[in-house]
Structures are given as structure tokens and as C-alpha cells.
């Protein structure tokens, strides 16, 4: 073999070595940048929005709870007042019977004259 043939073979071997050496460098570059900076920013924005919405939901639920508590308090107050009103209406109806009024009038010295009585219908 001549010198020219050996140089050609050496050049071939060097080219294959260079191509083999170049490929691992690309692989290491690709492994290093699995997540790009843009993706990191998007994930951070998504996490911030998610946290903000979670806080808003909790705040809204707390406000709804307070309002419901106030409504229940007012309803219980209304119920107590209605019960008191009904008791007073019952007491008024008991005290305004004809027999009781006639008894009180006789105690005070009033007497019933049939000619002076006028019936008023309700």
C-alpha cells in the first residue's frame, strides 16, 4: 500500500471518530434542557393563578358562611317574636270576651241597660 492509501484510511477513521464524538455532545445538550425557561415561566404563572383562585374560593365560602349564620340568627329572632305575638293575641282574645268585660263593668259600678246596647258586627 502506498502512503496515499494510508492517509485516506486515516482520514476515514478520523471522520468516523469525529461523528461518533459529536453525537454524545448533542445528547448531553438535549438532556440538560428538558424543560425550557418558557415552560418554567408558564408553570409558575399557572401555579400563581391556581393559588389565587383557591384563595378566592376559600374567601368566598367564608363570606357565604357568615351571611348564612346571620340569616339563621335573624330567622330565629323572627320566630321568637312571632311566638310572642301569637301569645299576646291569645291573651287579648281571652281578655276581650263578653263575659269578662261584663264582669269588669259590674265591678266598676256600671249596669247594663238593654235599650242603650248597640250591636256592632265586625
Amino acid at each position: 500500500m502506498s502512503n496515499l492509501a494510508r492517509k485516506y484510511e486515516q482520514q476515514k477513521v478520523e471522520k468516523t471518530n469525529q461523528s461518533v464524538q459529536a453525537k454524545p455532545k448533542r445528547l448531553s445538550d438535549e438532556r440538560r434542557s428538558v424543560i425550557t425557561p418558557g415552560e418554567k415561566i408558564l408553570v409558575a404563572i399557572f401555579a400563581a393563578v391556581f393559588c389565587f383562585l383557591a384563595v378566592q374560593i376559600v374567601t368566598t365560602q367564608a363570606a357565604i358562611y357568615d351571611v348564612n349564620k346571620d340569616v339563621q340568627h335573624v330567622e330565629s329572632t323572627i320566630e321568637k317574636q312571632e311566638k310572642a305575638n301569637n301569645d299576646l293575641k291569645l291573651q287579648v282574645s281571652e281578655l276581650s270576651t263578653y263575659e269578662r268585660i261584663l264582669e269588669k263593668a259590674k265591678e266598676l259600678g256600671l249596669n247594663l241597660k238593654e235599650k242603650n246596647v248597640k250591636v256592632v258586627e265586625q
Side-chain angles (χ1 to χ4, degrees):
M1 282 187 140
S2 72
N3 245 350
L4 187 59
R6 283 188 186 174
K7 284 183 183 179
Y8 182 71
E9 285 180 20
Q10 284 177 352
Q11 285 176 357
K12 240 182 175 181
V13 170
E14 287 177 8
K15 283 183 184 179
T16 57
N17 286 341
Q18 287 177 358
S19 64
V20 170
Q21 290 174 356
K23 287 183 183 177
K25 288 181 183 177
R26 288 183 188 164
L27 290 176
S28 66
D29 289 342
E30 290 176 11
R31 287 182 189 167
R32 185 175 43 169
S33 62
V34 172
I35 299 176
T36 63
E39 290 173 342
K40 289 179 184 178
I41 291 172
L42 287 176
V43 168
I45 291 172
F46 176 75
V49 169
F50 180 78
C51 290
F52 176 75
L53 292 177
V55 168
Q56 287 291 25
I57 288 171
V58 170
T59 304
T60 304
Q61 290 297 325
I64 289 171
Y65 174 77
D66 287 340
V67 169
N68 283 337
K69 191 170 101 176
D70 292 341
V71 167
Q72 287 179 351
H73 183 277
V74 169
E75 285 177 351
S76 67
T77 306
I78 289 172
E79 189 176 309
K80 288 178 184 176
Q81 189 63 45
E82 285 177 348
K83 184 178 178 184
N85 288 350
N86 287 335
D87 290 344
L88 291 174
K89 283 180 185 179
L90 182 65
Q91 190 176 8
V92 166
S93 66
E94 288 175 357
L95 294 176
S96 65
T97 60
Y98 178 74
E99 290 82 17
R100 184 181 175 286
I101 293 174
L102 184 61
E103 184 182 316
K104 283 290 184 181
K106 285 182 182 178
E107 284 177 13
L108 294 173
L110 300 174
N111 52 2
L112 181 64
K113 294 182 183 176
E114 296 293 329
K115 293 180 183 178
N116 292 338
V117 174
K118 296 182 180 178
V119 178
V120 179
E121 293 182 25
Q122 292 181 358

